[in-house]
Amino acid sequence: MAEISHRQLQIPLLRHLPEFLQQSSVAFRIGRTPVTNLTRFILRKLAVRANVAVGEGFHAGPGSILWAPNALSIGRDVYVGKNVTIQIDGTVGDGVLFANGSGVVGKNDHDYRQVGTTVRHASWVGDNPHLSLSTFIGSDVWVGFNAVVYSGLKIGNSSIIAAGAVVTKDVPDNSIVAGSPARVIKPRFTDGEFASHWALLRRQGVRWVAPASSTGGCV
């Protein structure tokens, strides 16, 4: 897992104070308490670190960290639970749920093959972003409690990663995977249900997102 320098950990909350005040004012006018908005605002600012862009409706729970060596784009209505770690480059679609304790982490963040250097002091992705592997997570995906997804993979739309799974290969659309290493155990929907499901999601503005071609997946 990538380390983060003290400089990257600096969270300039005061810089965002005008933004919060504007949001609080709007919330107060529609009857919601500014205290609730303040909590959400602080959690979001603490969680979202360098090189990460998030869409509308984003939520981050306490203790979560999102960081990218180069760039991570997160879609609309994404929920990140408590103590979640996402430290990758890549794309996350819309309506994705990351359960408490889950992680999407770099497969090669530390150059463990560096001769003559302990892994503790080996090159890491924060100083050498070329070590990063781009990751794709589609829309309508659920990454279960304490599940781990390695970087460089493609997780298809409407897939589900079972609790405690360790995902080391690509996951097809509409699949439920479980185990370590994770394997497909069954489809989430029948073909007909899947088509109807996505017809309705598209009407709601949920994007079907497609990665570049993959080379191999869970079987």
Side-chain angles (χ1 to χ4, degrees), residues 97-126:
L97 171 61
F98 293 93
N100 297 347
S102 60
V104 188
V105 294
K107 187 176 182 179
N108 297 321
D109 280 4
H110 294 269
D111 188 359
Y112 58 87
R113 292 167 295 188
Q114 193 170 336
V115 176
T117 304
T118 62
V119 70
R120 167 66 179 86
H121 296 288
S123 296
W124 71 286
V125 72

Side-chain angles (χ1 to χ4, degrees), residues 53-77:
V54 300
E56 296 177 1
F58 174 81
H59 169 90
S64 292
I65 297 174
L66 295 87
W67 172 81
N70 298 291
L72 172 62
S73 175
I74 296 178
R76 297 171 50 248
D77 196 30

Side-chain angles (χ1 to χ4, degrees), residues 15 44-45 48 81 93 103 114 129 147 191 200:
R15 188 192 333 174
R44 174 170 170 165
K45 294 304 177 185
V48 179
Q114 193 170 336
D191 290 346
L200 292 170

Side-chain angles (χ1 to χ4, degrees), residues 4 17 24 46 49 72 80 85 89-90 95 101 123 137 160-161 165 175 179 193-194 196 200 211:
I4 300 176
L17 186 58
S24 314
L46 288 172
R49 309 283 173 87
L72 172 62
V80 174
T85 300
D89 288 325
S123 296
I137 297 176
I160 294 181
I161 313 299
S175 297
E193 290 170 339
F194 189 49
S196 297
L200 292 170

Side-chain angles (χ1 to χ4, degrees), residues 7-70:
R7 185 171 183 177
Q8 290 167 324
L9 284 171
Q10 291 174 355
I11 310 297
L13 292 175
L14 291 178
R15 188 192 333 174
H16 301 283
L17 186 58
E19 175 188 343
F20 163 70
L21 292 174
Q22 182 180 17
Q23 292 175 350
S24 314
S25 175
V26 171
F28 180 77
R29 286 199 297 271
I30 62 175
R32 293 171 58 193
T33 93
V35 173
T36 300
N37 274 6
L38 177 59
T39 301
R40 291 174 179 170
F41 176 83
I42 291 174
L43 287 174
R44 174 170 170 165
K45 294 304 177 185
L46 288 172
V48 179
R49 309 283 173 87
N51 306 320
V52 179
V54 300
E56 296 177 1
F58 174 81
H59 169 90
S64 292
I65 297 174
L66 295 87
W67 172 81
N70 298 291

